[in-house]
Amino acid sequence: MTTRILAVDDDAVNRKVVSVTLSKAGYEVLTAQNGPEALEQVDDIQPNLIILDVMMPGMDGYEVCRRLRLKPSFARLPIMMLTANDTLEQKIKGFEAGADDYMVKPFQPAELQARVQALLRRASAPQKYQAVQAESKVIALFSLRGGVGISTLATNLAVSLAQIWALPTVLVDVALTCGQSALMLNLPLRNSLANLAHIPLEEFDANLVDQVLLSHPTGLRVLAAPPDPEQGDLIKGEHITRVLQLLMERNHYLILDLPHDFCETTVAGLDLAHQIVAVMAPEMGSVYTMRHTFETFDKLGYDRSNVSLVLNWTFGQQGLARKDIENALGQRVNLVIPYAPDPLIDALNTGTPSVVKSPDSPMGALFEDLAFYLSKEEHRAEQPAEPTAAWKRIFQRQQKRKRKRKK
Ligand SMILES: Nc1ncnc2c1ncn2[C@@H]1O[C@H](COP(=O)(O)OP(=O)(O)OP(=O)(O)O)[C@@H](O)[C@H]1O
Ligand SMILES: [Mg+2]
């Protein structure tokens, strides 16, 4: 069967260049002159890949991409953008629209052929995770105070769990109005929870939810938050409950990046969590909101023994003492994360969490060890039959600590 590519461009010369280049590589190329024409024809054409010019009169390539992504049948279709320049702004817009790759014009024919081939290869890679039956462990990261490191911890823990156990693991970004998990993992926002918002709840099934997950090179999969707050508003508590229940059927670990509130979607996530990691910074605002958080947890009936408290030094100096915080809250701090602005900002700007970029660095090791500590008991109890590189790193660190204690 030939591979079919739809090239959308308002410029006749560009359409010709793309057609000739890709026909030479053996693809069947169809063209459309503008966005509306492409959207009208796409169901009939059923392309394997779409190439979209960004600057088109009427409807630009970003809008065409966004509209395609809202159709479940095109949620995973590889889309390449042809942009006029390589600026940060263009990259972010392409990312938000859900493009998989982009090329700057003018391009070399060989590069277009190579990139198309790579995109098609990735898209046709078998879905490894289809029929896994697993007892899932759901770990929720929560704080009523913003900016305390929830997303940093959620992304690092999720990647770590995927790397340590090489088992199906999903990061769910429940921060519906401005979730940044996909950005923090450098994943194009080709799908998100927004894809599910218009589908009746009774039609949700595990395959549908699988369709909208983004795949990270480490094996982690991500259910991203919608690209804009308006779409986030369409997601209700019942959507979150159903989606999580379906993900729990097929995955060993679910990590929830929760927003800073107790609204119904957040509580839907907390209700299903086996372990809640409450995060705070060493300042009064955090102590105050954490008191309120623990009171609310009690009212909601969450078992305190399933709640861990993490103290994250998001600033350098003048913080409150650990002992004072513990006394004020009547709760032990389980882990202190030191102030480490440089590696974390670099991780943020490059979309590469510490546990990927430098798993042996102090921050990488700390996140990885925390992920191991939060892992299922039956996983921690025994050496895996085929230990991963991450598992070996953790094991070596444990041995080193044991030797130190003996001395
Ligand atoms: N231990 C730390 N040392 C230095 N900077 C940190 C530390 N932890 C987090 N940060 C920085 O604090 C900022 C907020 O972190 P992050 O986005 O993870 O928090 P959040 O709680 O998810 O915030 P939001 O309210 O935006 O959801 C980021 O710039 C991050 O790099
Ligand atoms: Mg966040």
Side-chain angles (χ1 to χ4, degrees):
M1 211 174 76
T2 53
T3 302
R4 193 174 290 167
I5 294 174
L6 175 62
V8 191
D9 204 312
D10 60 307
D11 184 295
V13 176
N14 280 347
R15 284 200 301 275
K16 190 86 191 150
V17 172
V18 172
S19 293
V20 170
T21 305
L22 295 175
S23 301
K24 272 189 194 156
Y27 302 111
E28 180 187 355
V29 186
L30 295 118
T31 59
Q33 297 183 20
N34 53 53
E37 189 184 311
L39 290 167
E40 202 185 298
Q41 295 177 357
V42 74
D43 286 307
D44 292 331
I45 295 176
Q46 287 292 324
N48 301 92
L49 180 145
I50 294 185
I51 296 184
L52 272 178
D53 182 35
V54 168
M55 297 284 280
M56 291 187 285
M59 188 189 294
D60 66 17
Y62 300 123
E63 185 57 28
V64 182
C65 188
R66 270 191 290 274
R67 292 191 188 202
L68 282 167
R69 288 297 184 223
L70 287 173
K71 292 171 176 252
S73 49
F74 297 113
R76 299 188 83 85
L77 181 81
I79 297 179
M80 178 189 285
M81 296 282 211
L82 293 182
T83 64
N85 58 49
D86 194 6
T87 60
L88 180 62
E89 190 197 350
Q90 296 254 335
K91 274 190 199 173
I92 290 175
K93 279 183 103 172
F95 164 82
E96 283 177 346
D100 294 289
D101 196 5
Y102 68 96
M103 273 199 64
V104 181
K105 291 189 290 190
F107 50 80
Q108 292 295 325
E111 187 181 353
L112 179 65
Q113 289 169 345
R115 283 190 186 237
V116 161
Q117 199 185 5
L119 275 181
L120 288 166
R121 196 175 49 238
R122 253 186 279 159
S124 65
Q127 292 290 308
K128 283 187 279 181
Y129 299 120
Q130 268 172 16
V132 181
Q133 283 293 332
E135 238 343 86
S136 200
K137 177 161 186 185
V138 182
I139 303 168
L141 282 297
F142 181 76
S143 159
L144 271 188
R145 186 112 164 113
V148 296
I150 294 291
S151 300
T152 302
L153 268 162
T155 44
N156 278 286
L157 287 179
V159 169
S160 292
L161 288 165
Q163 292 191 142
I164 299 168
W165 305 113
L167 290 169
T169 300
V170 177
L171 169 63
V172 185
D173 194 345
V174 193
L176 300 173
T177 49
C178 64
Q180 291 165 18
S181 300
L183 187 69
M184 290 172 90
L185 292 164
N186 200 24
L187 290 171
L189 204 51
R190 55 190 303 183
N191 309 307
S192 73
L193 269 159
N195 297 70
L196 300 172
H198 299 283
I199 299 172
L201 207 57
E202 55 279 9
E203 286 179 27
F204 278 32
D205 63 29
N207 285 333
L208 180 76
V209 178
D210 265 7
Q211 287 267 320
V212 295
L213 299 179
L214 310 175
S215 298
H216 191 256
T218 56
L220 172 72
R221 291 181 306 158
V222 179
L223 183 48
D228 66 64
E230 271 173 41
Q231 292 180 25
D233 280 347
L234 299 173
I235 313 282
K236 305 292 173 218
E238 57 185 8
H239 292 107
I240 298 297
T241 303
R242 186 78 190 116
V243 164
L244 294 180
Q245 284 169 339
L246 290 166
L247 286 172
M248 284 165 76
E249 287 174 14
R250 292 188 170 181
N251 294 281
H252 281 265
Y253 292 102
L254 300 187
I255 310 303
L256 313 185
D257 181 340
L258 294 176
H260 316 295
D261 56 47
F262 274 117
C263 73
E264 64 168 38
T265 42
T266 312
V267 175
L270 288 168
D271 277 348
L272 288 174
H274 301 100
Q275 179 87 39
I276 298 171
V277 181
V279 186
M280 65 182 295
E283 43 84 30
M284 267 317 279
S286 252
V287 176
Y288 176 79
T289 49
M290 197 49 80
R291 266 184 86 113
H292 184 57
T293 298
F294 281 120
E295 280 166 21
T296 310
F297 283 176
D298 290 344
K299 280 186 203 149
L300 291 169
Y302 302 152
D303 188 343
R304 285 259 190 138
S305 65
N306 296 330
V307 180
S308 311
L309 182 59
V310 169
L311 181 61
N312 185 12
W313 277 81
T314 51
F315 50 90
Q317 287 166 23
Q318 310 284 338
L320 299 171
R322 174 181 185 163
K323 265 273 143 292
D324 293 339
I325 293 171
E326 290 181 329
N327 287 340
L329 294 176
Q331 173 91 20
R332 203 169 81 79
V333 169
N334 299 89
L335 177 76
V336 178
I337 301 179
Y339 179 55
D342 294 347
L344 293 185
I345 286 298
D346 178 59
L348 207 59
N349 286 335
T350 57
T352 318
S354 310
V355 291
V356 175
K357 191 165 208 169
S358 45
D360 277 320
S361 67
M363 287 312 267
L366 186 114
F367 291 136
E368 211 166 58
D369 290 344
L370 177 63
F372 182 86
Y373 166 79
L374 291 170
S375 298
K376 296 187 208 177
E377 225 166 291
E378 72 259 29
H379 283 163
R380 275 184 294 146
E382 281 179 35
Q383 172 161 348
E386 289 174 39
T388 60
W391 189 93
K392 287 181 194 160
R393 280 194 296 271
I394 293 164
F395 182 72
Q396 276 161 10
R397 285 195 292 266
Q398 284 174 347
Q399 297 299 100
K400 212 165 153 187
R401 281 195 291 268
K402 266 188 203 156
R403 282 199 297 274
K404 241 186 181 167
R405 274 199 297 270
K406 270 190 198 153
K407 273 185 196 164

